[in-house]
Amino acid sequence: MTDMGVIAAGSLMAASAGIGQQLQKQLGQTGVPVYNVANACATGATALRVAMMAIKSGEADMGLAFGVEKLSGAGLLTGGSRKDDSGVFTPSGRYGAVAPTDGRIGTEIMPGVFAQIGMEYGHRYGGTSFELFARISEKNHAHSTLNPLAAYSKRMTLDEIMGDFMVAYPNTRPMCSANCDGAAAAVVVSGATLATLSLEQRRRAVKISASVLTTDPWEESCQILPDVNTLTRNAATLAYEQAGIGPSDLDLVELHDCFATAELVHYDNLMLCEQGGAVDFFESGATWRDGTLPVNVSGGLESKGHPIGATGIANVWEVATHLRGEAGPRQIDGAKVGLTHVIGLGSACGVHILEKSAA
Amino acid sequence: MASDDLWVLGIHMTKFGKHPDKDMVDLASESGPWPTAGWP
């Protein structure tokens, strides 16, 4: 802990608990700055960026970023509140001219929003079906059987997935991310400091070639249906520019499959396929572990789980572990470059591109 | 490696799932990335 010049701590459900300071009492109260972070489903990625920015600014040479959540049994996390005004809307307050849409037009609960987003993609480009979305989930559950740290490591058949409890069409329960407990942490270091460390540490270090955080730009349609597409596409564009690479250079991707429908649209948003081509991209088999661009080899949020504050660092852990060549039976052979993505409604999107060390 | 590059030196995660016997500090402590950063 004495080497850590900064601590960034992410937790959404305990945003005001001072979790960073609580952890210091266990690991060492060295007096360094602590930043407690809450930023929707991008909380972990944001904590990582806070530690990175402290190093970039010269405030520290090395920093600790962690994310943690206790989420088992939390249920639906937002929206879903029944309106008690009998459908009569009285404008009031700063935003009084606009009625809240939840329960009137669409929904603000996560399963509803992401179901609508998948259905909208199918409406726009065609080719989607209940079975197609279920097969995305089938892939991720199959991948999870090789990840000992996943919350659920059970292979599920297509019939089991489609026949399970329907949460919000077309997403059944196994097609939704799992609310669970968990934590993830990373030590981030400057290149100058890394150069002073051992050859083994330099060999296992993973370069952060791009780190981007975006929010929703104003879109007319966003006023009814939250937009998870534009901010993701903007973040990916910036990340590819920062890293000086393109999607074809990626060896694996960990993207935010909070629902099976979300995974499909993010193939497109992250430009892993041509615009409108996500269905064909998935149908090609590319996103399976033995495909040309494996996606969510960890099992994704649908199997590995989604303890919100931890998720944005856990997906960096997955990619970094492959780049280090330490992923065991699920190792993507020869992995040199990977991308991670998280998105939270409200909105926040984090994208990181990581590269294997040349040391 | 350029001096202004940023690197992940160590990274770790706990097993995700139901951990009714652990609080957030327990979980965060277990995620300590020190061994993966090259320290005991």
Side-chain angles (χ1 to χ4, degrees):
Chain A
M1 278 298 288
T2 54
D3 291 310
M4 300 301 111
V6 62
I7 297 172
S11 183
L12 185 63
M13 307 304 278
S16 60
I19 188 67
Q21 287 85 345
Q22 289 188 51
L23 185 67
Q24 273 188 310
K25 291 176 181 174
Q26 299 298 314
L27 299 181
Q29 292 176 264
T30 54
V32 300
V34 170
Y35 299 91
N36 291 297
V37 175
N39 205 13
C41 291
T43 292
T46 304
L48 183 66
R49 279 180 53 81
V50 168
M52 291 170 59
M53 287 189 290
I55 295 169
K56 276 282 189 186
S57 74
E59 182 177 279
D61 297 319
M62 197 179 294
L64 173 67
F66 73 92
V68 61
E69 211 76 62
K70 287 280 289 181
L71 208 56
S72 293
L76 298 176
L77 300 181
T78 189
S81 54
R82 184 176 176 272
K83 300 295 178 290
D84 57 2
D85 57 11
S86 304
V88 177
F89 172 63
T90 304
S92 63
R94 183 178 179 187
Y95 299 106
V98 180
T101 57
D102 188 21
R104 292 184 173 86
I105 306 172
T107 177
E108 289 174 0
I109 62 168
M110 302 295 175
V113 167
F114 283 95
Q116 289 172 326
I117 285 164
M119 297 299 283
E120 181 201 32
Y121 191 89
H123 177 70
R124 181 174 298 178
Y125 298 115
T128 61
S129 65
F130 177 27
E131 181 182 316
L132 176 102
F133 289 121
R135 283 197 281 121
I136 291 173
S137 188
E138 179 188 26
K139 168 186 70 77
N140 289 343
H141 287 291
H143 286 170
S144 75
T145 61
L146 299 176
N147 183 0
L149 299 185
Y152 299 99
S153 299
K154 179 190 173 191
R155 184 155 195 158
M156 298 189 74
T157 67
L158 194 59
D159 284 346
E160 286 175 323
I161 292 168
M162 295 179 73
D164 207 296
F165 178 79
M166 180 60 71
V167 175
Y169 186 87
N171 290 317
T172 62
R173 182 169 48 187
M175 298 162 72
C176 303
S177 54
N179 286 344
C180 64
D181 309 328
V187 172
V188 186
V189 64
S190 68
T193 300
L194 180 63
T196 68
L197 301 179
S198 71
L199 175 61
E200 180 64 3
Q201 286 171 307
R202 298 199 305 274
R203 186 190 68 77
R204 295 180 75 220
V206 171
K207 184 181 175 184
I208 305 171
S209 302
S211 175
V212 177
L213 187 69
T214 58
T215 56
D216 274 335
W218 192 92
E219 294 274 346
E220 187 170 1
S221 61
C222 281
Q223 310 315 305
I224 295 174
L225 178 64
D227 178 12
V228 304
N229 300 318
T230 308
L231 77 168
T232 296
R233 185 169 285 273
N234 288 351
T237 301
L238 288 169
Y240 292 131
E241 286 176 7
Q242 274 187 22
I245 66 162
S248 62
D249 296 307
L250 299 173
D251 296 309
L252 75 160
V253 171
E254 285 286 311
L255 62 74
H256 200 76
D257 63 319
C258 49
F259 299 90
T261 45
E263 176 158 328
L264 186 83
V265 302
H266 292 316
Y267 295 156
D268 199 318
N269 296 326
L270 295 171
M271 292 169 268
L272 309 183
C273 60
E274 62 182 27
Q275 193 155 9
V279 171
D280 288 343
F281 179 63
F282 174 72
E283 295 284 17
S284 75
T287 60
W288 281 79
R289 198 178 71 81
D290 59 356
T292 55
L293 182 48
V295 173
N296 290 336
V297 176
S298 68
L301 279 55
E302 294 164 65
S303 313
K304 182 179 68 179
H306 186 21
I308 296 175
T311 296
I313 297 176
N315 64 13
V316 172
W317 173 82
E318 178 67 22
V319 170
T321 302
H322 286 272
L323 299 182
R324 286 173 152 187
E326 298 172 357
R330 69 182 187 288
Q331 175 70 40
I332 302 300
D333 291 335
K336 292 181 178 175
V337 185
L339 180 148
T340 69
H341 160 252
V342 286
I343 181 172
L345 293 184
S347 57
C349 175
V351 170
H352 287 90
I353 293 176
L354 307 166
E355 288 185 54
K356 180 182 177 69
S357 170
Chain B
M1 51 194 63
S3 60
D4 60 346
D5 286 344
L6 289 173
W7 295 77
V8 175
L9 182 63
I11 189 161
H12 187 49
M13 63 176 275
T14 67
K15 180 175 172 56
F16 285 1
K18 293 180 180 176
H19 297 290
D21 55 328
K22 295 172 184 171
D23 64 19
M24 293 220 305
V25 175
D26 294 331
L27 288 168
S29 299
E30 283 183 22
S31 72
W34 321 122
T36 69
W39 296 306

